[in-house]
Amino acid sequence: DTGVSQDPRHKITKRGQNVTFRCDPISEHNRLYWYRQTLGQGPEFLTYFQNEAQLEKSRLLSDRFSAERPKGSFSTLEIQRTEQGDSAMYLCASKPGQEFYGYTFGSGTRLTVV
Amino acid sequence: LAKTTQPISMDSYEGQEVNITCSHNNIATNDYITWYQQFPSQGPRFIIQGYKTKVTNEVASLFIPADRKSSTLSLPRVSLSDTAVYYCLVGDGVNYGQNFVFGPGTRLSVLP
C-alpha cells in the first residue's frame, strides 16, 4: 500500500455540472477525512467517516455536497450544481481509529469551475 | 477549541537553523501538538508531534515549555527543499474533525 490515492488529480467543469471525486485510503486506516483548501489558506474540514459511518459534517458544508464510504474502504465526494466558489483543492486523509497518529493525506483533486 | 497562532511567513538561508513558534494559549490537558509540512500541489505531510518537553526525529525537533501554551518547531540546517508551508495544530488525537483546525500556517522561504 503506497498511501492515500485520489482520483482525478485535476477536474475542470462548467458551472452547474455535478462532479465526483474518489479517495482510496491506506487499507488499515478506518478513519477517512475530506478537506477543502483554497489558495493561501489551510485545509478546511468537510466531513469524516469511521468505517462506513459518516460521523461528522462541517456546519458550513452546503447540502450540494455529499460523501459516501459504502464498504468502509474507498470514499466518494460529490458536488452537485457546482458553483465557481467550489473551485479548490479537495484533500482526502486517513488515519487509524483510536490511536494517536497524524493524518496521511493524499495529493488532492484540484477542481476548477468555469 | 484550541486556536493556534503562527507567523504568516519567514525567510531563511540555506544551512541555517529555522525556529517557528506557535502559540496555543487555550490548549487542553488532553491535547497534543502536531506539525505538518505542505508543498505546493500536495497534501500536508506529518512532521512531528509532542505533548511536553522535547521531541526529536530525523526531520525536526519540537520544543514545548512546561506551561504548554506555545511550541517551537526547529528545522536544523535547512535546504531549498524545505521551502513550504508549516502548520501547527492542537488536538486530543482521537476527536479529529471540526475540532482539529488548520490555520493559514507559516510560509517558509529558504533562499540560496
Side-chain angles (χ1 to χ4, degrees):
Chain A
D1 194 305
T2 57
V4 178
S5 299
Q6 293 190 245
D7 183 71
R9 288 297 310 275
H10 303 276
K11 178 71 176 180
I12 300 174
T13 191
K14 292 184 178 180
R15 189 173 50 188
Q17 298 293 306
N18 299 343
V19 294
T20 300
F21 310 139
R22 176 178 170 124
C23 172
D24 288 90
I26 292 174
S27 58
E28 60 267 29
H29 288 182
N30 59 4
R31 288 200 173 191
L32 184 149
Y33 300 77
W34 286 99
Y35 280 80
R36 174 173 61 192
Q37 186 173 27
T38 54
L39 198 62
Q41 301 298 315
E44 174 194 15
F45 170 79
L46 295 179
T47 188
Y48 92 84
F49 293 83
Q50 179 159 311
N51 300 313
E52 66 276 9
Q54 188 174 18
L55 296 187
E56 191 173 351
K57 290 174 62 174
S58 169
R59 294 178 284 272
L60 303 176
L61 192 61
S62 163
D63 58 8
R64 296 183 297 105
F65 287 69
S66 62
E68 294 183 340
R69 194 183 183 196
K71 298 182 180 179
S73 57
F74 73 92
S75 175
T76 58
L77 176 69
E78 181 182 19
I79 309 173
Q80 296 182 326
R81 305 180 303 280
T82 53
E83 302 172 357
Q84 286 190 322
D86 297 330
S87 295
M89 174 78 84
Y90 289 84
L91 293 162
C92 176
S94 69
K95 69 181 291 292
Q98 295 301 311
E99 298 84 1
F100 191 80
Y101 291 99
Y103 293 122
T104 300
F105 279 88
S107 295
T109 294
R110 180 166 297 284
L111 173 66
T112 303
V113 181
V114 297
Chain B
L1 179 62
K3 181 181 176 181
T4 60
T5 304
Q6 319 172 218
I8 292 297
S9 64
M10 295 181 68
D11 291 337
S12 183
Y13 291 95
E14 279 192 293
Q16 289 188 332
E17 178 184 73
V18 170
N19 296 308
I20 305 174
T21 297
C22 178
S23 297
H24 28 80
N25 290 318
N26 297 323
I27 189 168
T29 302
N30 295 333
D31 285 344
Y32 285 73
I33 300 151
T34 311
W35 286 79
Y36 288 83
Q37 174 192 55
Q38 186 176 27
F39 298 113
S41 300
Q42 294 187 25
R45 181 176 74 105
F46 173 88
I47 301 176
I48 198 167
Q49 173 185 279
Y51 184 81
K52 61 181 180 180
T53 64
K54 177 183 175 182
V55 179
T56 297
N57 62 22
E58 65 277 6
V59 176
S61 294
L62 179 60
F63 298 92
I64 306 167
D67 66 6
R68 304 200 328 121
K69 293 184 182 298
S70 67
S71 58
T72 299
L73 174 73
S74 181
L75 304 172
R77 298 180 300 281
V78 294
S79 64
L80 296 176
S81 62
D82 292 315
T83 294
V85 179
Y86 293 82
Y87 298 98
C88 164
L89 296 92
V90 295
D92 65 10
V94 174
N95 297 312
Y96 278 29
Q98 299 199 79
N99 293 328
F100 199 58
V101 179
F102 285 84
T106 297
R107 187 171 300 275
L108 173 66
S109 297
V110 179
L111 307 173

PDB file of all heavy atoms in Angstrom, chain A residues 46-77:
ATOM      1  N   LEU A  46     -14.306  19.112   6.006  1.00  0.00           N
ATOM      2  CA  LEU A  46     -15.623  18.933   5.409  1.00  0.00           C
ATOM      3  C   LEU A  46     -16.417  17.844   6.120  1.00  0.00           C
ATOM      4  O   LEU A  46     -17.548  18.062   6.556  1.00  0.00           O
ATOM      5  CB  LEU A  46     -15.493  18.575   3.919  1.00  0.00           C
ATOM      6  CG  LEU A  46     -14.891  19.637   3.000  1.00  0.00           C
ATOM      7  CD1 LEU A  46     -14.820  19.108   1.569  1.00  0.00           C
ATOM      8  CD2 LEU A  46     -15.699  20.923   3.058  1.00  0.00           C
ATOM      9  N   THR A  47     -15.832  16.641   6.206  1.00  0.00           N
ATOM     10  CA  THR A  47     -16.553  15.527   6.795  1.00  0.00           C
ATOM     11  C   THR A  47     -15.590  14.401   7.106  1.00  0.00           C
ATOM     12  O   THR A  47     -14.470  14.384   6.591  1.00  0.00           O
ATOM     13  CB  THR A  47     -17.667  15.024   5.856  1.00  0.00           C
ATOM     14  OG1 THR A  47     -18.478  14.057   6.535  1.00  0.00           O
ATOM     15  CG2 THR A  47     -17.091  14.399   4.589  1.00  0.00           C
ATOM     16  N   TYR A  48     -16.029  13.451   7.979  1.00  0.00           N
ATOM     17  CA  TYR A  48     -15.197  12.267   8.173  1.00  0.00           C
ATOM     18  C   TYR A  48     -16.030  11.026   8.446  1.00  0.00           C
ATOM     19  O   TYR A  48     -17.181  11.106   8.891  1.00  0.00           O
ATOM     20  CB  TYR A  48     -14.118  12.490   9.226  1.00  0.00           C
ATOM     21  CG  TYR A  48     -14.436  12.124  10.661  1.00  0.00           C
ATOM     22  CD1 TYR A  48     -14.278  10.811  11.119  1.00  0.00           C
ATOM     23  CD2 TYR A  48     -14.831  13.097  11.562  1.00  0.00           C
ATOM     24  CE1 TYR A  48     -14.525  10.495  12.431  1.00  0.00           C
ATOM     25  CE2 TYR A  48     -15.068  12.784  12.879  1.00  0.00           C
ATOM     26  CZ  TYR A  48     -14.914  11.487  13.324  1.00  0.00           C
ATOM     27  OH  TYR A  48     -15.157  11.173  14.635  1.00  0.00           O
ATOM     28  N   PHE A  49     -15.431   9.888   8.157  1.00  0.00           N
ATOM     29  CA  PHE A  49     -16.028   8.576   8.310  1.00  0.00           C
ATOM     30  C   PHE A  49     -15.180   7.715   9.243  1.00  0.00           C
ATOM     31  O   PHE A  49     -13.956   7.782   9.216  1.00  0.00           O
ATOM     32  CB  PHE A  49     -16.098   7.840   6.954  1.00  0.00           C
ATOM     33  CG  PHE A  49     -17.020   8.460   5.966  1.00  0.00           C
ATOM     34  CD1 PHE A  49     -16.601   9.528   5.181  1.00  0.00           C
ATOM     35  CD2 PHE A  49     -18.312   7.983   5.799  1.00  0.00           C
ATOM     36  CE1 PHE A  49     -17.445  10.103   4.263  1.00  0.00           C
ATOM     37  CE2 PHE A  49     -19.163   8.557   4.877  1.00  0.00           C
ATOM     38  CZ  PHE A  49     -18.730   9.616   4.108  1.00  0.00           C
ATOM     39  N   GLN A  50     -15.876   6.922  10.030  1.00  0.00           N
ATOM     40  CA  GLN A  50     -15.219   5.812  10.701  1.00  0.00           C
ATOM     41  C   GLN A  50     -15.834   4.556  10.109  1.00  0.00           C
ATOM     42  O   GLN A  50     -17.037   4.315  10.268  1.00  0.00           O
ATOM     43  CB  GLN A  50     -15.414   5.839  12.207  1.00  0.00           C
ATOM     44  CG  GLN A  50     -14.746   4.645  12.899  1.00  0.00           C
ATOM     45  CD  GLN A  50     -14.491   4.884  14.356  1.00  0.00           C
ATOM     46  OE1 GLN A  50     -13.948   5.914  14.743  1.00  0.00           O
ATOM     47  NE2 GLN A  50     -14.904   3.928  15.175  1.00  0.00           N
ATOM     48  N   ASN A  51     -15.025   3.790   9.428  1.00  0.00           N
ATOM     49  CA  ASN A  51     -15.523   2.689   8.598  1.00  0.00           C
ATOM     50  C   ASN A  51     -16.551   3.268   7.622  1.00  0.00           C
ATOM     51  O   ASN A  51     -16.254   4.241   6.943  1.00  0.00           O
ATOM     52  CB  ASN A  51     -16.057   1.576   9.482  1.00  0.00           C
ATOM     53  CG  ASN A  51     -14.976   1.021  10.392  1.00  0.00           C
ATOM     54  OD1 ASN A  51     -13.862   0.735   9.959  1.00  0.00           O
ATOM     55  ND2 ASN A  51     -15.289   0.877  11.675  1.00  0.00           N
ATOM     56  N   GLU A  52     -17.756   2.711   7.569  1.00  0.00           N
ATOM     57  CA  GLU A  52     -18.729   3.223   6.606  1.00  0.00           C
ATOM     58  C   GLU A  52     -19.622   4.312   7.186  1.00  0.00           C
ATOM     59  O   GLU A  52     -20.437   4.901   6.467  1.00  0.00           O
ATOM     60  CB  GLU A  52     -19.580   2.074   6.057  1.00  0.00           C
ATOM     61  CG  GLU A  52     -20.483   1.393   7.081  1.00  0.00           C
ATOM     62  CD  GLU A  52     -19.772   0.317   7.878  1.00  0.00           C
ATOM     63  OE1 GLU A  52     -18.530   0.202   7.771  1.00  0.00           O
ATOM     64  OE2 GLU A  52     -20.460  -0.385   8.641  1.00  0.00           O
ATOM     65  N   ALA A  53     -19.483   4.592   8.457  1.00  0.00           N
ATOM     66  CA  ALA A  53     -20.362   5.558   9.109  1.00  0.00           C
ATOM     67  C   ALA A  53     -19.806   6.979   9.003  1.00  0.00           C
ATOM     68  O   ALA A  53     -18.656   7.231   9.376  1.00  0.00           O
ATOM     69  CB  ALA A  53     -20.537   5.181  10.581  1.00  0.00           C
ATOM     70  N   GLN A  54     -20.651   7.879   8.523  1.00  0.00           N
ATOM     71  CA  GLN A  54     -20.274   9.284   8.465  1.00  0.00           C
ATOM     72  C   GLN A  54     -20.572   9.903   9.825  1.00  0.00           C
ATOM     73  O   GLN A  54     -21.734  10.075  10.193  1.00  0.00           O
ATOM     74  CB  GLN A  54     -21.047  10.002   7.353  1.00  0.00           C
ATOM     75  CG  GLN A  54     -20.573  11.416   7.100  1.00  0.00           C
ATOM     76  CD  GLN A  54     -21.257  12.054   5.895  1.00  0.00           C
ATOM     77  OE1 GLN A  54     -22.309  11.595   5.445  1.00  0.00           O
ATOM     78  NE2 GLN A  54     -20.655  13.096   5.338  1.00  0.00           N
ATOM     79  N   LEU A  55     -19.524  10.236  10.570  1.00  0.00           N
ATOM     80  CA  LEU A  55     -19.693  10.648  11.960  1.00  0.00           C
ATOM     81  C   LEU A  55     -19.793  12.154  12.155  1.00  0.00           C
ATOM     82  O   LEU A  55     -20.315  12.601  13.174  1.00  0.00           O
ATOM     83  CB  LEU A  55     -18.554  10.097  12.817  1.00  0.00           C
ATOM     84  CG  LEU A  55     -18.456   8.582  12.932  1.00  0.00           C
ATOM     85  CD1 LEU A  55     -17.395   8.182  13.947  1.00  0.00           C
ATOM     86  CD2 LEU A  55     -19.810   7.973  13.317  1.00  0.00           C
ATOM     87  N   GLU A  56     -19.281  12.903  11.228  1.00  0.00           N
ATOM     88  CA  GLU A  56     -19.273  14.351  11.438  1.00  0.00           C
ATOM     89  C   GLU A  56     -19.253  15.066  10.090  1.00  0.00           C
ATOM     90  O   GLU A  56     -18.598  14.615   9.153  1.00  0.00           O
ATOM     91  CB  GLU A  56     -18.046  14.760  12.265  1.00  0.00           C
ATOM     92  CG  GLU A  56     -18.062  16.188  12.775  1.00  0.00           C
ATOM     93  CD  GLU A  56     -16.902  16.484  13.722  1.00  0.00           C
ATOM     94  OE1 GLU A  56     -16.187  15.545  14.123  1.00  0.00           O
ATOM     95  OE2 GLU A  56     -16.710  17.666  14.039  1.00  0.00           O
ATOM     96  N   LYS A  57     -20.016  16.149  10.006  1.00  0.00           N
ATOM     97  CA  LYS A  57     -20.005  17.015   8.838  1.00  0.00           C
ATOM     98  C   LYS A  57     -19.802  18.439   9.300  1.00  0.00           C
ATOM     99  O   LYS A  57     -20.344  18.851  10.332  1.00  0.00           O
ATOM    100  CB  LYS A  57     -21.329  16.909   8.081  1.00  0.00           C
ATOM    101  CG  LYS A  57     -21.557  15.591   7.383  1.00  0.00           C
ATOM    102  CD  LYS A  57     -22.948  15.515   6.789  1.00  0.00           C
ATOM    103  CE  LYS A  57     -23.183  16.570   5.730  1.00  0.00           C
ATOM    104  NZ  LYS A  57     -24.480  16.393   5.057  1.00  0.00           N
ATOM    105  N   SER A  58     -19.089  19.202   8.523  1.00  0.00           N
ATOM    106  CA  SER A  58     -18.894  20.607   8.856  1.00  0.00           C
ATOM    107  C   SER A  58     -20.234  21.335   8.865  1.00  0.00           C
ATOM    108  O   SER A  58     -21.089  21.115   8.004  1.00  0.00           O
ATOM    109  CB  SER A  58     -17.963  21.258   7.836  1.00  0.00           C
ATOM    110  OG  SER A  58     -17.969  22.665   7.986  1.00  0.00           O
ATOM    111  N   ARG A  59     -20.385  22.205   9.843  1.00  0.00           N
ATOM    112  CA  ARG A  59     -21.610  23.014   9.911  1.00  0.00           C
ATOM    113  C   ARG A  59     -21.721  23.949   8.716  1.00  0.00           C
ATOM    114  O   ARG A  59     -22.802  24.420   8.376  1.00  0.00           O
ATOM    115  CB  ARG A  59     -21.616  23.832  11.202  1.00  0.00           C
ATOM    116  CG  ARG A  59     -21.712  23.000  12.454  1.00  0.00           C
ATOM    117  CD  ARG A  59     -21.671  23.872  13.691  1.00  0.00           C
ATOM    118  NE  ARG A  59     -20.334  24.355  13.974  1.00  0.00           N
ATOM    119  CZ  ARG A  59     -19.445  23.690  14.707  1.00  0.00           C
ATOM    120  NH1 ARG A  59     -19.750  22.532  15.227  1.00  0.00           N
ATOM    121  NH2 ARG A  59     -18.249  24.201  14.933  1.00  0.00           N
ATOM    122  N   LEU A  60     -20.608  24.205   8.058  1.00  0.00           N
ATOM    123  CA  LEU A  60     -20.589  25.133   6.934  1.00  0.00           C
ATOM    124  C   LEU A  60     -20.797  24.424   5.600  1.00  0.00           C
ATOM    125  O   LEU A  60     -20.853  25.073   4.555  1.00  0.00           O
ATOM    126  CB  LEU A  60     -19.251  25.882   6.898  1.00  0.00           C
ATOM    127  CG  LEU A  60     -18.883  26.660   8.166  1.00  0.00           C
ATOM    128  CD1 LEU A  60     -17.506  27.273   8.023  1.00  0.00           C
ATOM    129  CD2 LEU A  60     -19.927  27.726   8.461  1.00  0.00           C
ATOM    130  N   LEU A  61     -20.931  23.098   5.630  1.00  0.00           N
ATOM    131  CA  LEU A  61     -20.995  22.333   4.391  1.00  0.00           C
ATOM    132  C   LEU A  61     -22.367  22.461   3.746  1.00  0.00           C
ATOM    133  O   LEU A  61     -23.391  22.121   4.335  1.00  0.00           O
ATOM    134  CB  LEU A  61     -20.678  20.868   4.682  1.00  0.00           C
ATOM    135  CG  LEU A  61     -20.412  19.978   3.476  1.00  0.00           C
ATOM    136  CD1 LEU A  61     -19.206  20.484   2.709  1.00  0.00           C
ATOM    137  CD2 LEU A  61     -20.193  18.539   3.913  1.00  0.00           C
ATOM    138  N   SER A  62     -22.356  22.914   2.486  1.00  0.00           N
ATOM    139  CA  SER A  62     -23.594  23.060   1.733  1.00  0.00           C
ATOM    140  C   SER A  62     -24.233  21.696   1.484  1.00  0.00           C
ATOM    141  O   SER A  62     -23.546  20.678   1.389  1.00  0.00           O
ATOM    142  CB  SER A  62     -23.282  23.725   0.391  1.00  0.00           C
ATOM    143  OG  SER A  62     -24.320  23.548  -0.532  1.00  0.00           O
ATOM    144  N   ASP A  63     -25.582  21.681   1.329  1.00  0.00           N
ATOM    145  CA  ASP A  63     -26.257  20.416   1.033  1.00  0.00           C
ATOM    146  C   ASP A  63     -26.021  19.969  -0.400  1.00  0.00           C
ATOM    147  O   ASP A  63     -26.490  18.904  -0.800  1.00  0.00           O
ATOM    148  CB  ASP A  63     -27.756  20.511   1.345  1.00  0.00           C
ATOM    149  CG  ASP A  63     -28.452  21.614   0.581  1.00  0.00           C
ATOM    150  OD1 ASP A  63     -27.818  22.212  -0.307  1.00  0.00           O
ATOM    151  OD2 ASP A  63     -29.618  21.887   0.889  1.00  0.00           O
ATOM    152  N   ARG A  64     -25.289  20.734  -1.183  1.00  0.00           N
ATOM    153  CA  ARG A  64     -24.897  20.276  -2.522  1.00  0.00           C
ATOM    154  C   ARG A  64     -23.742  19.271  -2.433  1.00  0.00           C
ATOM    155  O   ARG A  64     -23.439  18.614  -3.417  1.00  0.00           O
ATOM    156  CB  ARG A  64     -24.452  21.466  -3.374  1.00  0.00           C
ATOM    157  CG  ARG A  64     -25.553  22.474  -3.659  1.00  0.00           C
ATOM    158  CD  ARG A  64     -25.067  23.592  -4.583  1.00  0.00           C
ATOM    159  NE  ARG A  64     -24.002  24.390  -3.988  1.00  0.00           N
ATOM    160  CZ  ARG A  64     -22.715  24.298  -4.330  1.00  0.00           C
ATOM    161  NH1 ARG A  64     -22.331  23.443  -5.281  1.00  0.00           N
ATOM    162  NH2 ARG A  64     -21.816  25.070  -3.757  1.00  0.00           N
ATOM    163  N   PHE A  65     -23.131  19.185  -1.274  1.00  0.00           N
ATOM    164  CA  PHE A  65     -22.010  18.264  -1.061  1.00  0.00           C
ATOM    165  C   PHE A  65     -22.521  16.993  -0.378  1.00  0.00           C
ATOM    166  O   PHE A  65     -23.256  17.073   0.614  1.00  0.00           O
ATOM    167  CB  PHE A  65     -20.948  18.901  -0.172  1.00  0.00           C
ATOM    168  CG  PHE A  65     -20.132  19.979  -0.824  1.00  0.00           C
ATOM    169  CD1 PHE A  65     -20.714  21.198  -1.161  1.00  0.00           C
ATOM    170  CD2 PHE A  65     -18.794  19.787  -1.100  1.00  0.00           C
ATOM    171  CE1 PHE A  65     -19.961  22.196  -1.765  1.00  0.00           C
ATOM    172  CE2 PHE A  65     -18.035  20.787  -1.693  1.00  0.00           C
ATOM    173  CZ  PHE A  65     -18.621  21.993  -2.027  1.00  0.00           C
ATOM    174  N   SER A  66     -22.099  15.848  -0.899  1.00  0.00           N
ATOM    175  CA  SER A  66     -22.420  14.593  -0.238  1.00  0.00           C
ATOM    176  C   SER A  66     -21.237  13.654  -0.358  1.00  0.00           C
ATOM    177  O   SER A  66     -20.511  13.680  -1.352  1.00  0.00           O
ATOM    178  CB  SER A  66     -23.677  13.957  -0.837  1.00  0.00           C
ATOM    179  OG  SER A  66     -23.471  13.646  -2.198  1.00  0.00           O
ATOM    180  N   ALA A  67     -21.042  12.860   0.664  1.00  0.00           N
ATOM    181  CA  ALA A  67     -19.934  11.919   0.675  1.00  0.00           C
ATOM    182  C   ALA A  67     -20.440  10.560   1.112  1.00  0.00           C
ATOM    183  O   ALA A  67     -21.379  10.454   1.903  1.00  0.00           O
ATOM    184  CB  ALA A  67     -18.819  12.404   1.602  1.00  0.00           C
ATOM    185  N   GLU A  68     -19.787   9.534   0.584  1.00  0.00           N
ATOM    186  CA  GLU A  68     -20.132   8.160   0.939  1.00  0.00           C
ATOM    187  C   GLU A  68     -18.861   7.344   1.132  1.00  0.00           C
ATOM    188  O   GLU A  68     -17.819   7.641   0.555  1.00  0.00           O
ATOM    189  CB  GLU A  68     -20.960   7.506  -0.181  1.00  0.00           C
ATOM    190  CG  GLU A  68     -22.318   8.095  -0.391  1.00  0.00           C
ATOM    191  CD  GLU A  68     -23.095   7.352  -1.471  1.00  0.00           C
ATOM    192  OE1 GLU A  68     -22.456   6.655  -2.290  1.00  0.00           O
ATOM    193  OE2 GLU A  68     -24.331   7.460  -1.493  1.00  0.00           O
ATOM    194  N   ARG A  69     -19.001   6.312   1.913  1.00  0.00           N
ATOM    195  CA  ARG A  69     -17.946   5.322   2.066  1.00  0.00           C
ATOM    196  C   ARG A  69     -18.637   3.975   2.260  1.00  0.00           C
ATOM    197  O   ARG A  69     -18.669   3.425   3.359  1.00  0.00           O
ATOM    198  CB  ARG A  69     -17.032   5.651   3.251  1.00  0.00           C
ATOM    199  CG  ARG A  69     -15.741   4.865   3.265  1.00  0.00           C
ATOM    200  CD  ARG A  69     -14.910   5.188   4.495  1.00  0.00           C
ATOM    201  NE  ARG A  69     -13.644   4.482   4.448  1.00  0.00           N
ATOM    202  CZ  ARG A  69     -12.849   4.325   5.516  1.00  0.00           C
ATOM    203  NH1 ARG A  69     -13.186   4.837   6.683  1.00  0.00           N
ATOM    204  NH2 ARG A  69     -11.710   3.675   5.391  1.00  0.00           N
ATOM    205  N   PRO A  70     -19.204   3.445   1.186  1.00  0.00           N
ATOM    206  CA  PRO A  70     -20.179   2.347   1.292  1.00  0.00           C
ATOM    207  C   PRO A  70     -19.672   1.066   1.922  1.00  0.00           C
ATOM    208  O   PRO A  70     -20.400   0.382   2.602  1.00  0.00           O
ATOM    209  CB  PRO A  70     -20.610   2.134  -0.163  1.00  0.00           C
ATOM    210  CG  PRO A  70     -19.538   2.748  -0.987  1.00  0.00           C
ATOM    211  CD  PRO A  70     -18.985   3.869  -0.189  1.00  0.00           C
ATOM    212  N   LYS A  71     -18.454   0.707   1.721  1.00  0.00           N
ATOM    213  CA  LYS A  71     -17.955  -0.556   2.271  1.00  0.00           C
ATOM    214  C   LYS A  71     -16.835  -0.321   3.273  1.00  0.00           C
ATOM    215  O   LYS A  71     -16.101  -1.238   3.612  1.00  0.00           O
ATOM    216  CB  LYS A  71     -17.475  -1.475   1.149  1.00  0.00           C
ATOM    217  CG  LYS A  71     -18.588  -1.870   0.186  1.00  0.00           C
ATOM    218  CD  LYS A  71     -18.089  -2.822  -0.883  1.00  0.00           C
ATOM    219  CE  LYS A  71     -19.223  -3.212  -1.828  1.00  0.00           C
ATOM    220  NZ  LYS A  71     -18.760  -4.122  -2.899  1.00  0.00           N
ATOM    221  N   GLY A  72     -16.705   0.899   3.714  1.00  0.00           N
ATOM    222  CA  GLY A  72     -15.667   1.208   4.687  1.00  0.00           C
ATOM    223  C   GLY A  72     -14.273   1.222   4.103  1.00  0.00           C
ATOM    224  O   GLY A  72     -13.301   1.224   4.856  1.00  0.00           O
ATOM    225  N   SER A  73     -14.193   1.233   2.770  1.00  0.00           N
ATOM    226  CA  SER A  73     -12.863   1.291   2.147  1.00  0.00           C
ATOM    227  C   SER A  73     -12.722   2.628   1.424  1.00  0.00           C
ATOM    228  O   SER A  73     -12.450   3.635   2.069  1.00  0.00           O
ATOM    229  CB  SER A  73     -12.654   0.108   1.216  1.00  0.00           C
ATOM    230  OG  SER A  73     -13.671   0.061   0.233  1.00  0.00           O
ATOM    231  N   PHE A  74     -12.951   2.668   0.106  1.00  0.00           N
ATOM    232  CA  PHE A  74     -12.824   3.929  -0.622  1.00  0.00           C
ATOM    233  C   PHE A  74     -13.998   4.841  -0.292  1.00  0.00           C
ATOM    234  O   PHE A  74     -15.033   4.412   0.229  1.00  0.00           O
ATOM    235  CB  PHE A  74     -12.714   3.677  -2.129  1.00  0.00           C
ATOM    236  CG  PHE A  74     -14.006   3.263  -2.771  1.00  0.00           C
ATOM    237  CD1 PHE A  74     -14.871   4.204  -3.319  1.00  0.00           C
ATOM    238  CD2 PHE A  74     -14.368   1.927  -2.835  1.00  0.00           C
ATOM    239  CE1 PHE A  74     -16.061   3.827  -3.914  1.00  0.00           C
ATOM    240  CE2 PHE A  74     -15.557   1.533  -3.413  1.00  0.00           C
ATOM    241  CZ  PHE A  74     -16.414   2.491  -3.949  1.00  0.00           C
ATOM    242  N   SER A  75     -13.834   6.109  -0.634  1.00  0.00           N
ATOM    243  CA  SER A  75     -14.881   7.094  -0.398  1.00  0.00           C
ATOM    244  C   SER A  75     -15.057   7.951  -1.650  1.00  0.00           C
ATOM    245  O   SER A  75     -14.110   8.116  -2.443  1.00  0.00           O
ATOM    246  CB  SER A  75     -14.538   7.990   0.785  1.00  0.00           C
ATOM    247  OG  SER A  75     -15.497   9.020   0.952  1.00  0.00           O
ATOM    248  N   THR A  76     -16.262   8.456  -1.833  1.00  0.00           N
ATOM    249  CA  THR A  76     -16.520   9.417  -2.900  1.00  0.00           C
ATOM    250  C   THR A  76     -17.093  10.695  -2.310  1.00  0.00           C
ATOM    251  O   THR A  76     -17.833  10.661  -1.320  1.00  0.00           O
ATOM    252  CB  THR A  76     -17.498   8.862  -3.950  1.00  0.00           C
ATOM    253  OG1 THR A  76     -18.713   8.496  -3.305  1.00  0.00           O
ATOM    254  CG2 THR A  76     -16.898   7.662  -4.662  1.00  0.00           C
ATOM    255  N   LEU A  77     -16.734  11.795  -2.933  1.00  0.00           N
ATOM    256  CA  LEU A  77     -17.275  13.106  -2.583  1.00  0.00           C
ATOM    257  C   LEU A  77     -17.923  13.673  -3.836  1.00  0.00           C
ATOM    258  O   LEU A  77     -17.275  13.781  -4.878  1.00  0.00           O
ATOM    259  CB  LEU A  77     -16.167  14.042  -2.104  1.00  0.00           C
ATOM    260  CG  LEU A  77     -16.591  15.484  -1.784  1.00  0.00           C
ATOM    261  CD1 LEU A  77     -17.464  15.525  -0.534  1.00  0.00           C
ATOM    262  CD2 LEU A  77     -15.363  16.382  -1.597  1.00  0.00           C
TER     263      LEU A  77
END
